[in-house]
Amino acid sequence: MGLIRHELEAFLGAVRFFTRIPVPRWVGHSEEGLNRSARYFPIIGILVGGFAALTFWLTDMLWPKSIAIVLSMAASIYLTGAFHEDGLSDMVDGLGGGWDKTRILEIMKDSRVGSYGVVALTLALLGKFVLLSELSAIWLPAALVAGHAVSRLCSTSLLLTMEYVREDAESKSKPLAKRLSADGFVLAAALILPACLLLPPSAIMAGSALAGVVTLWMSGILSRNLGGYTGDCLGGVQQVSELAFYLGVLAALPR
């Protein structure tokens, strides 16, 4: 029972950190606890993607497909509190407006959203809507579940391969998981495998491959400019790799 409670606490810690879903009070909230929870971060994508897929399925029976897609996007944003979208805008603001590591981190920490962030967030939301609109309604719910899961695995991979670079006490994302073992990453990948089986093999391979390539590309940018990642960077990678996943799936599925 002790092991089960330990793992349940780790999972619920991930749920509390990434969603608005309430969890029991006995679930701890600390950097150490989040490090234990890191292997469950990608499976949160199944919860968020499942909520978005359910919203699409229900609303698609009442309204046109385009409206159902917007409502499904709004549902996922509500469930996460725009957590990853905020990270994307802050990351792009920092990389776009900063000229060195110190300045980039200062801009990322600023609660105000600059022009780079507005443009990035607008393009991300518009891109997601367009990509999902091009998918058949038959495959769209499965693509949502898999896309949210795979993109969070891509984001979590930074905890395995890169160093956390913000150590100031004012970091708005503290406490934050900062490390993940290779075993933990393998477990995370295994946990989201059922979500991937909802799509044809060619689609999941194309989507995952493109998401992986984009993650490597963004990791290179972060390494050159920051020497590592911040919490905002994790959100930014999740958003961009999700778009890449849908793009790959769209290329592989018949329309």
Side-chain angles (χ1 to χ4, degrees):
M1 290 297 293
L3 178 60
I4 294 177
R5 181 185 173 94
H6 183 78
E7 292 302 315
L8 180 61
E9 182 178 7
F11 170 71
L12 291 176
V15 171
R16 178 169 61 185
F17 190 70
F18 285 111
T19 74
R20 296 174 180 267
I21 300 173
V23 301
R25 292 185 178 181
W26 53 262
V27 178
H29 187 53
S30 64
E31 181 181 317
E32 180 184 357
L34 282 171
N35 282 325
R36 294 197 307 270
S37 300
R39 58 188 176 273
Y40 293 111
F41 287 176
I43 204 173
I44 300 304
I46 296 179
L47 294 178
V48 177
F51 186 61
L54 178 62
T55 301
F56 172 80
W57 181 72
L58 291 174
T59 57
D60 188 48
M61 294 187 291
L62 300 174
W63 296 291
K65 178 183 174 184
S66 58
I67 295 177
I69 290 173
V70 171
L71 291 175
S72 72
M73 291 171 58
S76 67
I77 292 173
Y78 171 78
L79 192 63
T80 62
F83 193 68
H84 303 296
E85 288 80 6
D86 178 68
L88 173 66
S89 63
D90 286 343
M91 180 190 72
V92 176
D93 267 338
L95 293 174
W99 53 85
D100 60 19
K101 176 180 176 179
T102 301
R103 182 56 181 156
I104 291 173
L105 292 176
E106 288 178 353
I107 295 174
M108 285 187 185
K109 189 169 62 176
D110 194 328
S111 59
R112 295 170 295 182
V113 180
S115 56
Y116 289 107
V118 170
V119 170
L121 191 54
T122 301
L123 288 176
L125 293 174
L126 179 61
K128 188 179 297 187
F129 173 78
V130 171
L131 290 170
L132 293 174
S133 296
E134 292 296 324
L135 282 171
S136 166
I138 297 175
W139 293 113
L140 200 152
L144 282 170
V145 176
H148 278 277
V150 170
S151 62
R152 280 164 176 77
L153 183 67
C154 290
S155 177
T156 304
S157 69
L158 270 62
L159 300 178
L160 175 66
T161 60
M162 303 180 71
E163 295 293 327
Y164 182 72
V165 296
R166 188 188 291 283
E167 294 296 343
D168 56 277
E170 298 179 1
S171 173
K172 61 184 178 182
S173 29
K174 281 187 176 283
L176 174 76
K178 299 178 183 177
R179 63 180 181 270
L180 178 67
S181 66
D183 290 344
F185 185 79
V186 171
L187 175 61
L191 288 173
I192 66 168
L193 184 60
C196 297
L197 297 178
L198 298 173
L199 289 169
S202 59
I204 194 65
M205 289 176 63
S208 299
L210 196 53
V213 169
V214 166
T215 300
L216 289 173
W217 170 65
M218 293 185 69
S219 297
I221 293 175
L222 296 175
S223 294
R224 289 193 300 273
N225 289 276
L226 294 176
Y229 71 92
T230 68
D232 289 327
C233 298
L234 296 178
V237 169
Q238 185 278 321
Q239 287 288 292
V240 179
S241 61
E242 184 185 351
L243 290 170
F245 180 85
Y246 296 143
L247 194 62
V249 168
L250 188 60
L253 287 178
R255 297 188 297 280

